[in-house]
Amino acid sequence: MSFVEYGDTIKDGDTAIVFLGHESMFPVKVQHGTVTQTKYGVIRHSTDLIGKKYGSKVTCSKGGWVFILHPTPELWTMNLPHRTQILYSTDISIITMMLELKPGSIVCESGTGSGSLSHALIRTVAPTGHLYTVEFHQQRAEKAREEFREHGVEHLVTVTNQDVCKNGFGVSNIADAVFLDIPSPWEAIGHAKSALKAEGGRICSFSPCIEQVQRTCLAMEECGFTEINTLEILLRVYNVRTISLQIPDLGKAAEDNSSTGFDSSNTSNQGSPCANLQQGTVQFKSGVPLREMVGHTGYLTFATKS
């Protein structure tokens, strides 16, 4: 099993996603002799998981059922254990696009954190690219190495435990892109410039506060970066619902329509929107925004090494 290569069957040692519903899922490490408890009952790894195909419908001990999904960076972002605040797919998608990443790209990242963005970067640059990720916190760096090894991507990533603001990324003039998610990114701009290739490399800095953005932009300008711009991504979700609208009083036009021979009692018209004319309302399918939405996550500042 690998997060960058699809496997057909579930094997001992794999990380799989137990899917109970769109709002309820969790990761599990598949092991011989192990059981997993769910609200639908017990899942026995030896008999219910190992050897089955990913995507299979598994019946639990209480008669309920779940789906077992192959892990992807998107599913991992929704289910990973949080060691820090993480980036979600809304920001990750624009980061990978604006940094112009592709298979074979070399990327430097700091800090690693919970590895949400790291898995997406690895999948994007695979199979011939590489991610150099720096984490200041020793325990988080060790845990990230362990996860990358379990997920079958350790050959695509190098984890370093050091202070990027003092010691940099450990590479020079090879990176196609650099990503910064640290409290004081302006202190690492010089090291980012050194890590980037001679010309045309891209840099992105994620900061929750506009004051951080201001200092980072000044540092980028001083280091000779061009095309500096900052943006913010906001996600607004719509639900499809059936709504009822009153039929407007159109006066004479409505009378003219009635003369066309429409018979509201005709059963062949019962499935049409006009079937409810007698009640003065008509039903439509419409997109309705949620009353609450995900607001500010952070500012993304992009620039190019000139």
Side-chain angles (χ1 to χ4, degrees):
M1 184 278 304
S2 171
F3 273 56
V4 297
E5 296 176 359
Y6 184 79
D8 238 6
T9 58
I10 305 170
K11 299 181 179 63
D12 186 24
D14 281 3
T15 298
I17 305 297
V18 179
F19 180 89
L20 292 83
H22 289 291
E23 302 297 328
S24 179
M25 62 185 93
F26 59 89
V28 62
K29 185 175 181 180
V30 179
Q31 293 178 310
H32 271 294
T34 303
V35 298
T36 297
Q37 294 282 351
T38 74
K39 63 181 181 180
Y40 301 126
V42 172
I43 301 173
R44 295 175 176 82
H45 294 200
S46 299
T47 57
D48 297 335
L49 298 183
I50 297 176
K52 300 290 182 62
K53 287 190 174 184
Y54 279 107
S56 296
K57 183 178 179 180
V58 174
T59 302
C60 304
S61 61
K62 292 182 181 179
W65 48 267
V66 298
F67 288 106
I68 308 300
L69 306 181
H70 193 284
T72 64
E74 291 80 9
L75 288 175
W76 186 245
T77 291
M78 298 170 63
N79 295 282
L80 57 77
H82 285 234
R83 300 183 289 272
T84 60
Q85 291 289 333
I86 69 169
L87 290 177
Y88 289 92
S89 297
T90 308
D91 290 313
I92 291 173
S93 59
I94 196 72
I95 290 169
T96 55
M97 184 189 76
M98 294 293 286
L99 289 181
E100 302 173 3
L101 301 182
K102 59 186 182 300
S105 295
I106 306 296
V107 187
C108 292
E109 176 197 24
S110 182
T112 312
S114 300
S116 173
L117 176 65
S118 303
H119 283 80
L121 294 177
I122 291 169
R123 196 264 306 274
T124 303
V125 304
T128 56
H130 201 84
L131 171 66
Y132 295 90
T133 183
V134 178
E135 174 55 52
F136 176 79
H137 194 275
Q138 182 178 357
Q139 290 181 332
R140 287 201 293 262
E142 292 173 353
K143 185 61 179 176
R145 288 193 193 98
E146 180 184 340
E147 284 182 351
F148 293 142
R149 184 170 58 254
E150 290 179 352
H151 297 166
V153 296
E154 72 276 8
H155 61 292
L156 296 169
V157 57
T158 300
V159 182
T160 306
N161 173 221
Q162 64 187 28
D163 186 351
V164 71
C165 297
K166 294 180 179 179
N167 307 113
F169 294 93
V171 296
S172 299
N173 302 320
I174 65 169
D176 297 289
V178 170
F179 176 79
L180 298 174
D181 183 6
I182 54 178
S184 52
W186 55 90
E187 296 180 2
I189 298 299
H191 293 297
K193 182 178 181 181
S194 299
L196 287 168
K197 60 186 180 182
E199 186 176 356
R202 294 280 287 167
I203 184 173
C204 173
S205 174
F206 176 91
S207 296
C209 302
I210 197 64
E211 291 81 6
Q212 294 171 304
V213 174
Q214 292 171 332
R215 296 188 65 174
T216 302
C217 289
L218 289 173
M220 287 179 174
E221 192 173 17
E222 290 174 0
C223 287
F225 284 91
T226 59
E227 299 178 342
I228 302 172
N229 64 87
T230 299
L231 51 87
E232 180 184 27
I233 309 299
L234 299 177
L235 176 66
R236 191 175 188 186
V237 179
Y238 281 76
N239 281 341
V240 177
R241 296 179 182 174
T242 301
I243 62 172
S244 296
L245 297 177
Q246 284 189 333
I247 298 174
D249 183 5
L250 302 179
K252 188 174 184 303
E255 296 176 2
D256 293 341
N257 288 337
S258 65
S259 65
T260 60
F262 173 75
D263 183 2
S264 60
S265 63
N266 189 340
T267 56
S268 64
N269 294 320
Q270 289 179 358
S272 68
C274 297
N276 293 324
L277 283 175
Q278 292 180 345
Q279 287 74 37
T281 62
V282 63
Q283 291 186 334
F284 292 96
K285 293 290 185 182
S286 177
V288 180
L290 301 180
R291 294 187 177 183
E292 295 181 357
M293 63 175 282
V294 177
H296 172 76
T297 57
Y299 301 103
L300 293 169
T301 300
F302 297 91
T304 303
K305 182 178 179 180
S306 177

